[in-house]
Amino acid sequence: GNSVTQMEGPVTLSEEAFLTINCTYTATGYPSLFWYVQYPGEGLQLLLKATKADDKGSNKGFEATYRKETTSFHLEKGSVQVSDSAVYFCALSDRDGNNRKLIWGLGTSLAVNP
Amino acid sequence: NAGVMQNPRHLVRRRGQEARLRCSPVKGHSHVYWYRQLPEEGLKFMVYLQKENIIDESGMPKERFSAEFPKEGPSILRIQQVVRGDSAAYFCASSPRVGDPTDTQYFGPGTRLTVL
């Protein structure tokens, strides 16, 4: 079945460091890909998405490119801030008829120190 | 516009009691998904509903769990005779319509269930 593999955390960085969180997937067909963020004690917020190969999603300085050839959707940010400390989830939309259920990675915890 | 609303935010139950979790989707959204996040684990799909219909409940335990999305009112996830292993965060998400090309789901803040 479809699955998402996400790099394990926790990741600890200093402010202004470069961030990469790896995400690879296995899927039949052409799923949409997502990054969600969960701040401490809060729910899930959509960070960015891409719906087809070579699409780049971007938001708040974060970027991820849908790479079909490597089945990857790595999250990057050039300069992290303390406020980026959160758990980041990679997910794909498992298209089964009209069902768009999301298949999730395990999440990567990011801590950014001042 | 109001986003997805979930209540209660925190729910404490003793073993054997019932837990009832409510989800009001974004206005105009007719598709609701429930996910469960167990401690130290990722999210797992539980059930997908459209108004008055359960479309896919393949992720929901066969016993004690049920879900509904009536024509009027919120979607309800019901857990009967709760056990400690049911302690988790339960998230509801909604999406606009069939064929939405972005497949985007909008999440509520979650209900954190603690079973004593």
Side-chain angles (χ1 to χ4, degrees):
Chain A
N2 295 350
S3 65
V4 173
T5 302
Q6 194 176 332
M7 102 187 225
E8 288 188 26
V11 173
T12 303
L13 295 173
S14 297
E15 208 165 19
E16 299 184 3
F18 184 85
L19 169 71
T20 300
I21 301 178
N22 290 339
C23 172
T24 57
Y25 67 90
T26 45
T28 54
Y30 304 95
S32 295
L33 300 172
F34 303 85
W35 278 99
Y36 281 84
V37 58
Q38 186 177 31
Y39 296 103
E42 298 187 13
L44 293 152
Q45 299 178 27
L46 177 65
L47 182 59
L48 53 84
K49 63 190 178 193
T51 58
K52 60 183 187 297
D54 300 324
D55 267 2
K56 178 186 282 189
S58 61
N59 185 27
K60 299 181 181 179
F62 291 89
E63 292 183 341
T65 301
Y66 189 163
R67 302 277 187 210
K68 191 169 183 301
E69 63 277 13
T70 54
T71 61
S72 65
F73 193 54
H74 304 321
L75 182 68
E76 296 182 337
K77 186 174 186 182
S79 176
V80 293
Q81 306 300 313
V82 172
S83 58
D84 294 326
S85 299
V87 180
Y88 293 81
F89 292 93
C90 184
L92 69 80
S93 175
D94 188 7
R95 293 176 178 173
D96 177 14
N98 294 331
N99 189 350
R100 300 288 188 266
K101 68 185 180 189
L102 293 172
I103 307 298
W104 299 84
L106 292 179
T108 302
S109 175
L110 170 66
V112 180
N113 297 320
Chain B
N1 284 334
V4 177
M5 310 283 284
Q6 286 188 254
N7 66 81
R9 294 289 304 274
H10 300 275
L11 182 62
V12 178
R13 286 287 177 266
R14 297 191 180 280
R15 282 179 296 170
Q17 291 184 320
E18 177 180 288
R20 192 173 290 233
L21 288 61
R22 294 176 188 77
C23 168
S24 297
V26 173
K27 188 177 180 181
H29 286 193
S30 56
H31 303 262
V32 165
Y33 298 79
W34 285 92
Y35 296 87
R36 178 166 66 173
Q37 184 180 32
L38 290 165
E40 307 303 324
E41 294 189 22
L43 287 94
K44 303 290 185 188
F45 165 78
M46 298 183 75
V47 61
Y48 164 48
L49 309 105
Q50 296 177 19
K51 283 282 187 184
E52 300 185 274
N53 287 303
I54 297 174
I55 307 303
D56 179 356
E57 56 184 347
S58 60
M60 204 150 67
K62 298 262 187 286
E63 297 179 356
R64 302 188 297 108
F65 285 71
S66 62
E68 63 178 13
F69 188 16
K71 187 177 179 182
E72 302 292 337
S75 175
I76 305 288
L77 178 68
R78 185 176 172 215
I79 312 171
Q80 295 179 292
Q81 299 175 322
V82 295
V83 301
R84 288 214 174 109
D86 297 333
S87 295
Y90 293 81
F91 290 96
C92 169
S94 72
S95 67
R97 62 188 180 277
V98 171
D100 172 16
T102 67
D103 300 333
T104 301
Q105 294 179 22
Y106 300 87
F107 280 79
T111 294
R112 282 161 177 78
L113 171 66
T114 301
V115 179
L116 301 177

